[in-house]
Amino acid sequence: MPLEIHQIPIMRDNYVYLLRDGETGQVAVVDPGEAGPVGEALDRLGWTLTHILITHHHHDHTGGVGALKARTGCSVVAAKADLGRIDAVDVAVADGDRLAIGDSVADVLAVPGHTLGHVAYWFAEDKALFCGDTLFSLGCGRLFEGDARQMWRSLCALRALGDDARVFCAHEYTNANADFALSVDPANAALKARAADVLALREKGMPTVPAPMGAERRCNPFLRADAADLQRAVGMVGCDPADVFAEIRRRKDSF
């Protein structure tokens, strides 16, 4: 049975995800920055929390961990590299590990850049990628701890998951990201169409994620640093893609 995924908006623009394995009823929550909305959703759905999956240590992704663990006794999963920065971790994971939520299995991917210990969870059977703040729809996370070359490698690894991967990122930034993307890639017809669709969704109060990786590959400038047309648009034809990525990220930081 497919993984059942429930999206919970919290704070100003964060998303938390509840995942339920249809065969066993085990339930995971990804990046619970707040406990209250997660508890309310669990009660409404009649689900029992068994796992917390953390992508990285920032408080808007971990703030609800203690309360949810105290309430449910669930198992907390986080990166080995973040031990000491996240409390009450029961299962420490690293790149290449596999994690089971009932019969649903995720591959753990190390994706440093935004933070050094950042991981993503890839449920291949369900084509569902939970990537925290590494990849956003039409954007990517700031480089708080890692460098541009690390982040470019991480984004390439996520891009390689295939066009039918669904990107469940942790923030609703897509409309603002579209404005920036158009500033560096103004001739991209696919991006123009995506930006119009995003605006229409937000005007209706609807989420823009999950986003299909195929659309991100065609439209997201941070995934296109090795594309000749984007390199031409930013005046860096033939340059190392990691350097092109760094320039695009620099422009976004001051946009």
Side-chain angles (χ1 to χ4, degrees), residues 114-134:
H114 179 65
T115 68
L116 291 177
H118 204 303
V119 294
Y121 301 93
W122 166 236
F123 290 84
E125 288 292 321
D126 296 275
K127 303 297 183 183
L129 172 67
F130 298 91
C131 52
D133 288 358
T134 296

Side-chain angles (χ1 to χ4, degrees), residues 40-242:
E40 292 168 7
L42 289 166
D43 291 342
R44 184 171 64 253
L45 295 165
W47 294 357
T48 300
L49 189 66
T50 57
H51 296 78
I52 296 174
L53 309 185
I54 301 300
T55 63
H56 65 293
H57 67 88
H58 287 162
H59 185 72
D60 62 324
H61 296 252
T62 62
V65 170
L68 288 170
K69 184 174 175 64
R71 166 182 162 160
T72 66
C74 62
S75 179
V76 178
V77 181
K80 289 179 183 177
D82 271 343
L83 292 178
R85 300 206 287 186
I86 300 173
D87 293 335
V89 175
D90 300 295
V91 179
V93 294
D95 188 62
D97 287 348
R98 306 199 82 201
L99 177 73
I101 308 298
D103 289 344
S104 299
V105 179
D107 293 302
V108 178
L109 309 174
V111 285
H114 179 65
T115 68
L116 291 177
H118 204 303
V119 294
Y121 301 93
W122 166 236
F123 290 84
E125 288 292 321
D126 296 275
K127 303 297 183 183
L129 172 67
F130 298 91
C131 52
D133 288 358
T134 296
L135 174 64
F136 298 132
S137 183
L138 300 182
C140 75
R142 287 179 179 269
L143 304 181
F144 286 123
E145 295 175 10
D147 60 31
R149 193 163 297 275
Q150 284 178 312
M151 187 64 134
W152 173 243
R153 284 197 300 265
S154 295
L155 292 173
C156 287
L158 298 184
R159 183 179 68 175
L161 295 175
D163 284 1
D164 55 353
R166 295 179 294 160
V167 178
F168 290 87
C169 56
H171 289 276
E172 182 57 73
Y173 290 163
T174 320
N175 199 35
N177 286 343
D179 290 341
F180 170 74
L182 287 167
S183 77
V184 294
D185 199 10
N188 186 330
L191 171 58
K192 292 177 183 177
R194 172 70 173 150
D197 290 344
V198 164
L199 180 59
L201 286 170
R202 295 309 293 154
E203 286 179 341
K204 296 175 184 175
M206 298 176 66
T208 65
V209 297
M213 188 67 79
E216 292 304 307
R217 185 178 57 78
R218 293 185 293 273
C219 302
N220 188 330
F222 295 103
L223 295 183
R224 286 173 33 78
D226 54 354
D229 57 337
L230 182 60
Q231 291 188 353
R232 189 176 305 110
V234 298
M236 297 184 69
V237 173
C239 292
D240 184 328

